[in-house]
Amino acid sequence: MTSTATLPAEATAPPGRGRDPHARRFGLPVATCLVMGNIIGGGIFLLPASVAPFGTISLVAFAVLTAGAIALALVFGRLAERHPRTGGPYVYARAAFGDFAGFLAAWSYWITAWVSNAALAVAAVGYLTVLFPAVGEHKWSMCLAALAVQWLPAVANLAGTRYVGAVQVVATVLKFAPLLLVAVGGLFFFDPANLGPFRATDQSAAGAVSASAAILLFSYLGVESATVSAGEVRDPARNVGRATVLGTVGAATVYLLGTVAVFGLVAHDRLVASTAPFTDAVNAMFSADGGAGGTWGGTVVACAAVISMLGALNGWTLLSAQTPYAAAKDGLFPKAFETKKRGVPVVGVIVTVALASALTVYNYTAGSQGVFESLVLITTFTATVPYLLATAAQIHFLLSGQRERVHPGRLARDGVLAALAFGFSMWLVAGSGYAAVYQGVLFLFAGVLVHAAMSARKHRAAASPAE
């Protein structure tokens, strides 16, 4: 069992006097909502249209991805039992392989977080145009809307973890009603004629499954949410693993049912071009003419999609600051990232939302097509780096005989899960495509210079005589 000496101060501080009234530790329900809220963010509301060009073979990819995500969640749960610290994959990689591996995990996860925020904002604009058509009339109005969607959750985060948890619970509850409406109710309106071809591209079946899975991974980013914020969770050794598995299984169930329902409600040619597929699906359910024109149901789903994405951005904004905070505490990120107020690493929040905003502005001004898909594929690659390092750390602990880190009775099961999760992560890298890997590697290697500067500073501090 990990001693409290290894935990950050905020993870062991006693409740009561001396604690910030705006900071609050998360229990199991809020931690589970954090996982589900971050997983079920903007991805589910836009991804059915993003993978429709591959054909219904993408449903096979969804099933494989779900199995892989659950294996990954179980591995994270095991790691969290032994390392209940804020930082998640960063903590595990550093414990197993040292500072450089830890830095790569932190840097890559940080990139994933703020690029994901930009992608979520782009997805949110597609549903905002359903509610406010004027937003979609000009690229600058769309850009401003995307920026507003990013900064509102940032303001909630800066108010303190007490408000982050409240927003996350409300957003998770509000988004589930329309998702379940489509996921369950939509099956009664299912029309097999809408499914289109099984394989709609010239790729091989394996290639199509890998390519669509690379896009679909974005919908499962957030599996590690509770581990990254472990320092803010009550009894993290027990609750982090449970929240990770419960949140992932719950999200997977809604995902699979919802995607199947959308494929059967919206004709394939319309789904490929859709910017709000769940709205189109509900319109098809309640509109007598098969979904042409708006309906109240489509408007409700658009509202829920925007709320869902705001909730996901609320959680991702916190996560994007937690990993740099943990790395800064160990001297691997600039010291400014240690600054914490109301339980929130404020510098991390501000820097992250500023970078995401800059990326959003760039993509709108560059006029690039398929912005969402491009951003999603980059995050697929950068997300797999900490996933690979974390699962490799688990394999390292299992094979190196570190009894304090391994439960002997679970050795065989944990070994199989870790191997599956590692293979799953490697498969996702292969499916990301050359362009995404190329851009992701550039982002990743840019961090090597940062690590060189930080490690040199740390070395100088260690070598200088104490004053």
Side-chain angles (χ1 to χ4, degrees):
M1 185 171 181
T2 305
S3 67
T4 55
T6 66
L7 298 177
E10 68 274 9
T12 57
R17 190 171 60 186
R19 291 186 63 86
D20 193 321
H22 298 284
R24 180 172 294 176
R25 304 288 292 282
F26 302 148
L28 178 62
V30 174
T32 302
C33 284
L34 183 67
V35 175
M36 292 190 71
N38 285 353
I39 293 177
I40 305 178
I44 185 60
F45 287 101
L46 195 59
L47 283 172
S50 297
V51 297
F54 296 101
T56 51
I57 195 171
S58 57
L59 295 176
V60 176
F62 229 138
V64 175
L65 194 61
T66 298
I70 291 173
L72 201 57
L74 290 168
V75 170
F76 280 136
R78 293 287 180 262
L79 287 166
E81 289 179 11
R82 300 297 175 182
H83 301 274
R85 285 187 52 194
T86 292
Y90 156 74
V91 172
Y92 316 142
R94 183 170 180 261
F97 309 121
D99 284 353
F100 185 61
F103 174 83
L104 286 180
W107 180 262
S108 183
Y109 191 80
W110 187 48
I111 292 170
T112 300
W114 60 263
V115 175
S116 294
N117 285 359
L120 280 172
V122 170
V125 170
Y127 281 92
L128 278 172
T129 57
V130 175
L131 302 174
F132 309 102
V135 170
E137 291 180 358
H138 195 276
K139 67 179 182 180
W140 282 114
S141 60
M142 297 172 69
C143 182
L144 289 173
L147 293 176
V149 166
Q150 291 176 50
W151 280 93
L152 285 173
V155 171
N157 269 264
L158 294 173
T161 53
R162 174 179 182 177
Y163 304 100
V164 173
V167 171
Q168 204 64 36
V169 171
V170 171
T172 301
V173 171
L174 289 178
K175 81 176 76 170
F176 260 88
L179 281 175
L180 291 175
L181 172 66
V182 175
V184 179
L187 298 178
F188 293 98
F189 299 86
F190 190 91
D191 185 355
N194 289 328
L195 293 176
F198 178 69
R199 187 152 50 97
T201 67
D202 295 332
Q203 295 173 283
S204 65
V209 169
S210 294
S212 53
I215 294 177
L216 288 168
L217 174 64
F218 183 78
S219 62
Y220 277 106
L221 293 182
V223 168
E224 70 295 327
S225 300
T227 70
V228 175
S229 294
E232 319 304 332
V233 178
R234 289 195 297 270
D235 191 7
R238 179 170 180 264
N239 286 333
V240 167
R242 294 169 66 197
T244 299
V245 175
L246 288 174
T248 303
V249 171
T253 302
V254 174
Y255 270 169
L256 288 172
L257 290 175
T259 304
V260 169
V262 171
F263 270 57
L265 286 167
V266 183
H268 181 259
D269 57 341
R270 290 185 58 213
L271 183 59
V272 169
S274 177
T275 59
F278 270 75
T279 290
D280 292 340
V282 174
N283 285 346
M285 290 169 62
F286 293 103
S287 179
D289 59 2
T295 70
W296 66 268
T299 302
V300 168
V301 169
C303 288
V306 173
I307 292 171
S308 175
M309 293 175 201
L310 285 171
L313 281 164
N314 177 65
W316 270 107
T317 300
L318 176 64
L319 295 187
S320 65
Q322 294 285 19
T323 297
Y325 167 78
K329 295 281 286 185
D330 295 326
L332 300 181
F333 258 55
K335 190 173 179 61
F337 284 90
E338 285 187 54
T339 306
K340 209 170 192 182
K341 295 180 180 179
R342 301 183 177 93
V344 174
V346 292
V347 172
V349 168
I350 293 171
V351 172
T352 296
V353 74
L355 288 170
S357 298
L359 184 59
T360 301
V361 171
Y362 169 76
N363 277 290
Y364 277 110
T365 54
S368 53
Q369 299 296 317
V371 172
F372 179 80
E373 288 79 5
S374 299
L375 294 176
V376 162
L377 287 173
I378 293 172
T379 61
T380 297
F381 172 75
T382 56
T384 55
V385 174
Y387 290 175
L388 282 168
L389 288 171
T391 53
Q394 174 72 336
I395 293 171
H396 170 77
F397 296 144
L398 292 171
L399 296 180
S400 60
Q402 300 183 44
R403 295 187 177 276
E404 73 279 6
R405 302 179 191 273
V406 178
H407 192 297
R410 300 172 180 164
L411 182 61
R413 183 179 64 179
D414 286 354
V416 171
L417 284 173
L420 287 174
F422 186 88
F424 168 69
S425 299
M426 286 293 291
W427 175 57
L428 291 170
V429 172
S432 299
Y434 293 109
V437 172
Y438 169 74
Q439 295 175 70
V441 167
L442 291 179
F443 275 118
L444 189 62
F445 282 2
V448 175
L449 184 61
V450 177
H451 177 72
M454 294 306 303
S455 60
R457 179 179 176 181
K458 190 175 180 180
H459 179 76
R460 286 198 310 270
S464 62
E467 296 183 358

